[in-house]
Amino acid sequence: VRTQAELKGVAGTKGNLLSLAFSPDGKLLAGGYRDTAWVWEIPSGQTRAVLKSRNANALGHVAFSPDGKTLITSGTDGWVELWNVASGRVVLTARSPLNLATLAFFSPDGNTLAVANRPAAMSNPFVKILQAGTLADIDAEIRSEGAAR
């Protein structure tokens, strides 16, 4: 960063963002707060999508897939959602283990998800590595792990 000059502000949020993530190509910025994630175009600041999450009042994390086509959201209500960035539609909704998922990331190749909680969020922190060929497999793995607890 060479300067601290503001390039362009973004609009649409109704509170303090809890997470921000750039798309891999740097053309989009996503942010999450309460039950909503926003996707903005950079540098115009125009809203590309407003995504309503199942994480009521608790959406705390957003991250892009390596190809930038999918956004993952997660939160303390335990919902992990994968969104098609172009359409703004959910392509997967799953409940995380222990009904808590404050962090979620894609691996660099996009084939693996890591879902975790922040240590302060629970006395028993967890990290789950989910590797699957399809989103349905990921959904089934998350559900079976959660049921086993």
Side-chain angles (χ1 to χ4, degrees):
V1 177
R2 292 186 189 147
T3 74
Q4 294 182 14
E6 181 178 325
L7 295 176
K8 183 72 176 178
V10 294
T13 64
K14 295 179 181 174
N16 298 322
L17 294 173
L18 297 177
S19 181
L20 287 171
F22 277 105
S23 62
D25 64 7
K27 294 181 180 179
L28 299 174
L29 177 68
Y33 174 71
R34 293 193 151 234
D35 66 346
T36 307
W38 292 267
V39 179
W40 299 282
E41 295 176 0
I42 300 297
S44 73
Q46 289 187 325
T47 302
R48 161 83 70 90
V50 177
L51 312 172
K52 286 294 189 181
S53 171
R54 290 185 124 184
N55 282 295
N57 299 317
L59 192 147
H61 189 74
V62 297
F64 281 94
S65 62
D67 65 8
K69 294 180 180 179
T70 305
L71 183 75
I72 189 168
T73 60
S74 62
T76 58
D77 284 356
W79 293 104
V80 176
E81 297 163 304
L82 283 90
W83 303 82
N84 178 303
V85 174
S87 70
R89 293 187 180 171
V90 174
V91 295
L92 170 71
T93 300
R95 194 80 164 165
S96 72
L98 303 179
N99 295 327
L100 181 71
T102 54
L103 298 169
F105 293 96
F106 285 94
S107 65
D109 67 6
N111 293 324
T112 306
L113 295 173
V115 179
N117 71 321
R118 289 186 176 98
M122 292 185 66
S123 59
N124 297 319
F126 73 87
V127 175
K128 293 290 180 188
I129 306 299
L130 308 170
Q131 193 164 20
T134 68
L135 296 177
D137 292 338
I138 293 169
D139 181 43
E141 189 168 348
I142 291 173
R143 290 178 192 278
S144 67
E145 287 290 328
R149 295 201 172 258

